[in-house]
Amino acid sequence: MGNPCTAMNQRNSQDMSSSEHSLMKASWIKDGGYLFLAAFRRETTEQSYSRTQSTYNRNWKRLAPTLKKKTEESPSLYHPELRKQWKHYIRSGVPDKLARSVILKLFSIKGSDIEYHPLLMEVFSGKIPETFTLVPTFSTATSIEKILSRYYINSVGEAALKRILWVIHNYHPFVKFCPQIVGALSLLLVYLNENEAYALITKLLINSRQEKETSFKRHFTCTKREHSILVQETSNLIRRDMRGLATFLDSQNFDLNKLISDMLNCFFVGYFRISCLLRILLCFLCEGNKTLIRVIYGVFNILQRELPYRQEQIEVYIKNQCCSLTSCDDLLRTGFRALISRQDFISEQPEPESVSEHIAGLFRLSIQLQSNIMSVCHFDLIWSHLPANFRILAPKFILSSQECGVTLRELENRSSLYPPSTPMLFLAQTKTGETLGAFIDCTIQSNKKSSQMVNSFVFQLEPEPRFYHSSESEAWINFSKDELSFGKNEHDIAFSIDSGFETCSFHSSKTYGTTNIGSQVFQIKLLESFVLQ
């Protein structure tokens, strides 16, 4: 038995070493920044790395045509019409070989536009140093080592990190207290060279300083007050949604704010493995400091049931559990369920007393998403297409086709329990891998076989997101014993679901603008329905 097993392991090893995603042969390391390969290898296996990168690469190959088209349409991928779409792609994981290119394109950074070297020469009086006695940390820490417990960049990268910190200290005096810049910059240097890293961090700092929200979301806090408010708001979010955990921590006299502050200060270096850190970094670049809040939220959400029974001290237990994660899929999936304010925490947030476009853009509830079809990325994508007055609502699950004997009649009965003006969402996962659905601004009522809708749309989430909105006041939902259909009349139907939840269909509809897709019938694997409350 031993010989076949040995032979199998040898074959696996050979296959892995020849993989285009092998860490041993990764060309992005040569083309990128200053990765310390030995540190990377300590925290990930060749097999795990290759498997993860293959998954990321498959996703991005599928998206490549869309990304290329979008890139040609706008010189900056941070264009408002593109940012939301890129956000979902980046959350799913960026292949290492593409990360540098994505970062530079995302922020429109070109080598010819970078004016770093003259600043560097001026700061150090014409002589570029390799060693340093003191380095600004933008915190109370007296050295970088007191913020970062480890480096993932080589000695050349460490010197570059310290030089950039000195230039920032001299040319960005508004940065008073920003310890997380050290960890973020050390990770950026895994992908970027010194000039590129400085150009990017400068953009993030300048845009973080803006009083009004720009196309860039706030990334860094620049004063102690801003940092303290960020910590407190993160703590409030955890206490609001995890009251049992909050009660336990208080009973142990545990300083939650102190731990949150430490996690933010080091940018999670020392808490997570490098594979997770780099994925968090990419999400952070695209979405700002909300990513950090969501990661912390995800940590406590995942560990809240186990914490009361841990053997170690609470802080040690949390750090050990974070370091044990080989993948951050569950962490990000859980963290991104906390749909926090789009507005910066340091600004005053308006009370959601009235529904308006302004409030809808700033105020969104934290939810627990109950769906076997809709991921958090799907949720964000769908919610971005909702009318402003519905974006502050959260989905409530009411029916699944997995329930024994469920039919269209049962859907009618359950939806009738809610007011007629309650919005509904339908999702269908097909046996061939598509994810389809419809949104309507009313419920299905047992006493009405058809209802006019002011706001509705049908959509496809997989394999590629597509949304088709109805013409105002022309769309109807029609209910019969045979099917549920969305359209204008029996001759103009965009989407339909049969009474037994066995098939769903897309049709050519002028009302929904689906005239170019023709008629397609899909076998349903799973169907779910929600009301929005």
Side-chain angles (χ1 to χ4, degrees):
M1 182 175 180
N3 291 335
C5 289
T6 301
M8 183 180 297
N9 287 337
Q10 289 174 346
R11 285 197 301 272
N12 289 342
S13 176
Q14 292 169 357
D15 292 342
M16 196 62 64
S17 64
S18 62
S19 167
E20 64 174 309
H21 306 296
S22 169
L23 185 60
M24 298 284 292
K25 298 182 178 181
S27 60
W28 68 271
I29 296 174
K30 298 177 182 178
D31 299 335
Y34 309 92
L35 174 66
F36 182 37
L37 193 56
F40 207 133
R41 287 176 179 162
R42 281 199 296 266
E43 297 186 6
T44 187
T45 64
E46 187 69 31
Q47 184 177 14
S48 175
Y49 179 81
S50 180
R51 184 171 57 248
T52 301
Q53 292 300 308
S54 295
T55 300
Y56 293 169
N57 200 58
R58 282 196 301 272
N59 292 340
W60 280 72
K61 276 186 177 180
R62 178 170 57 83
L63 299 169
T66 303
L67 298 179
K68 183 178 180 181
K69 178 182 177 182
K70 294 296 185 182
T71 303
E72 292 171 351
E73 291 174 358
S74 173
S76 171
L77 299 180
Y78 232 117
H79 188 279
E81 295 180 4
L82 306 181
R83 193 190 65 80
K84 288 183 179 179
Q85 192 169 3
W86 272 76
K87 175 176 70 176
H88 303 303
Y89 300 158
I90 289 174
R91 284 185 188 178
S92 67
V94 181
D96 280 335
K97 66 179 184 180
L98 298 179
R100 176 175 176 269
S101 175
V102 167
I103 293 171
L104 297 180
K105 288 180 179 178
L106 192 65
F107 291 90
S108 300
I109 294 176
K110 300 178 182 178
S112 58
D113 298 333
I114 300 172
E115 298 181 356
Y116 172 66
H117 188 73
L119 304 180
L120 187 64
M121 297 298 287
E122 185 172 341
V123 169
F124 294 106
S125 302
K127 185 177 181 180
I128 300 177
E130 298 294 332
T131 59
F132 302 83
T133 304
L134 295 174
V135 178
T137 63
F138 304 98
S139 69
T140 56
T142 56
S143 67
I144 291 179
E145 287 68 28
K146 292 187 181 296
I147 297 176
L148 301 181
S149 59
R150 65 195 69 173
Y151 284 107
Y152 296 102
I153 48 179
N154 56 31
S155 57
V156 178
E158 288 182 38
L161 167 67
K162 294 172 182 178
R163 287 193 290 267
I164 294 173
L165 291 174
W166 269 115
V167 175
I168 292 172
H169 174 75
N170 279 266
Y171 287 98
H172 301 290
F174 62 88
V175 184
K176 304 296 183 183
F177 188 86
C178 187
Q180 65 266 41
I181 198 175
V182 177
L185 188 53
S186 73
L187 296 176
L188 276 175
L189 287 167
V190 168
Y191 292 129
L192 307 182
N193 62 39
E194 186 173 350
N195 292 357
E196 295 164 345
Y198 173 76
L200 175 55
I201 214 76
T202 298
K203 281 198 172 187
L204 299 183
L205 286 171
I206 291 175
N207 283 281
S208 293
R209 190 187 183 191
Q210 301 291 327
E211 292 183 2
K212 295 183 179 180
E213 189 177 27
T214 66
S215 59
F216 294 85
K217 301 302 179 183
R218 177 179 291 277
H219 288 80
F220 294 114
T221 54
C222 297
T223 66
K224 281 188 177 181
R225 176 181 173 274
E226 293 174 4
H227 179 79
S228 297
I229 293 175
L230 183 65
V231 170
Q232 187 59 56
E233 290 290 348
T234 307
S235 176
N236 292 345
L237 183 67
I238 293 170
R239 290 181 176 278
R240 184 191 69 193
D241 292 355
M242 305 171 218
R243 295 182 181 179
L245 174 65
T247 301
F248 166 74
L249 295 177
D250 290 340
S251 70
Q252 301 294 307
N253 295 319
F254 181 74
D255 192 339
L256 177 60
N257 286 27
K258 181 180 178 182
L259 178 62
I260 292 172
S261 181
D262 183 63
M263 297 174 87
L264 291 173
N265 288 352
C266 65
F267 204 85
F268 306 114
V269 174
Y271 282 88
F272 297 108
R273 301 187 185 195
I274 180 61
S275 55
C276 289
L277 290 172
L278 293 178
R279 190 165 169 188
I280 291 170
L281 173 71
L282 268 294
C283 291
F284 166 78
L285 294 178
C286 186
E287 302 184 54
N289 59 20
K290 289 187 298 183
T291 297
L292 310 184
I293 299 162
R294 285 168 170 161
V295 169
I296 296 172
Y297 180 96
V299 167
F300 284 97
N301 193 291
I302 291 173
L303 299 180
Q304 60 178 318
R305 294 184 180 179
E306 303 173 10
L307 265 173
Y309 306 102
R310 85 273 175 264
Q311 299 299 317
E312 310 100 316
Q313 293 182 346
I314 294 176
E315 187 171 353
V316 174
Y317 174 79
I318 291 174
K319 185 169 288 191
N320 288 341
Q321 291 299 305
C322 290
C323 285
S324 69
L325 293 175
T326 56
S327 168
C328 57
D329 286 342
D330 289 340
L331 175 71
L332 294 181
R333 189 179 300 115
T334 302
F336 279 102
R337 290 174 184 171
L339 301 178
I340 61 175
S341 167
R342 290 171 182 262
Q343 192 180 33
D344 301 329
F345 275 139
I346 63 168
S347 304
E348 293 184 5
Q349 298 191 27
E351 294 294 326
E353 296 174 351
S354 60
V355 177
S356 67
E357 184 70 42
H358 177 65
I359 291 179
L362 303 182
F363 180 78
R364 296 174 81 183
L365 297 176
S366 171
I367 65 164
Q368 295 298 319
L369 189 59
Q370 183 183 354
S371 174
N372 291 317
I373 300 177
M374 181 168 52
S375 68
V376 175
C377 290
H378 288 155
F379 173 87
D380 270 357
L381 189 56
I382 294 171
W383 251 243
S384 70
H385 283 265
L386 293 180
N389 55 322
F390 294 142
R391 291 182 202 158
I392 62 173
L393 303 178
K396 179 181 178 181
F397 173 83
I398 63 169
L399 180 141
S400 170
S401 60
Q402 289 182 333
E403 300 175 44
C404 183
V406 170
T407 64
L408 199 55
R409 182 63 61 185
E410 181 61 24
L411 174 60
E412 176 191 31
N413 293 336
R414 296 188 189 184
S415 66
S416 295
L417 298 175
Y418 299 90
S421 60
T422 304
M424 293 190 71
L425 180 68
F426 304 89
L427 291 171
Q429 188 178 69
T430 72
K431 293 182 179 180
T432 49
E434 294 85 4
T435 301
L436 315 170
F439 165 81
I440 59 176
D441 60 5
C442 59
T443 56
I444 303 169
Q445 296 296 312
S446 57
N447 61 342
K448 297 179 68 175
K449 297 307 177 185
S450 63
S451 300
Q452 188 173 13
M453 300 175 291
V454 175
N455 296 293
S456 65
F457 55 83
V458 298
F459 56 86
Q460 169 187 287
L461 296 176
E462 297 291 347
E464 182 179 348
R466 293 177 181 173
F467 287 78
Y468 304 95
H469 290 259
S470 66
S471 304
E472 273 196 33
S473 303
E474 291 187 10
W476 291 73
I477 178 171
N478 297 286
F479 176 81
S480 71
K481 65 178 182 179
D482 298 320
E483 69 175 11
L484 178 67
S485 60
F486 309 84
K488 185 176 182 179
N489 51 49
E490 61 181 1
H491 304 296
D492 188 338
I493 296 174
F495 184 64
S496 62
I497 302 169
D498 80 321
S499 60
F501 299 150
E502 295 178 352
T503 64
C504 62
S505 306
F506 258 120
H507 305 278
S508 177
S509 168
K510 291 183 179 180
T511 303
Y512 282 88
T514 58
T515 53
N516 62 331
I517 66 173
S519 295
Q520 304 175 59
V521 180
F522 304 91
Q523 297 293 317
I524 294 177
K525 178 181 179 181
L526 176 63
L527 183 135
E528 294 177 341
S529 180
F530 304 81
V531 293
L532 276 58
Q533 292 186 312

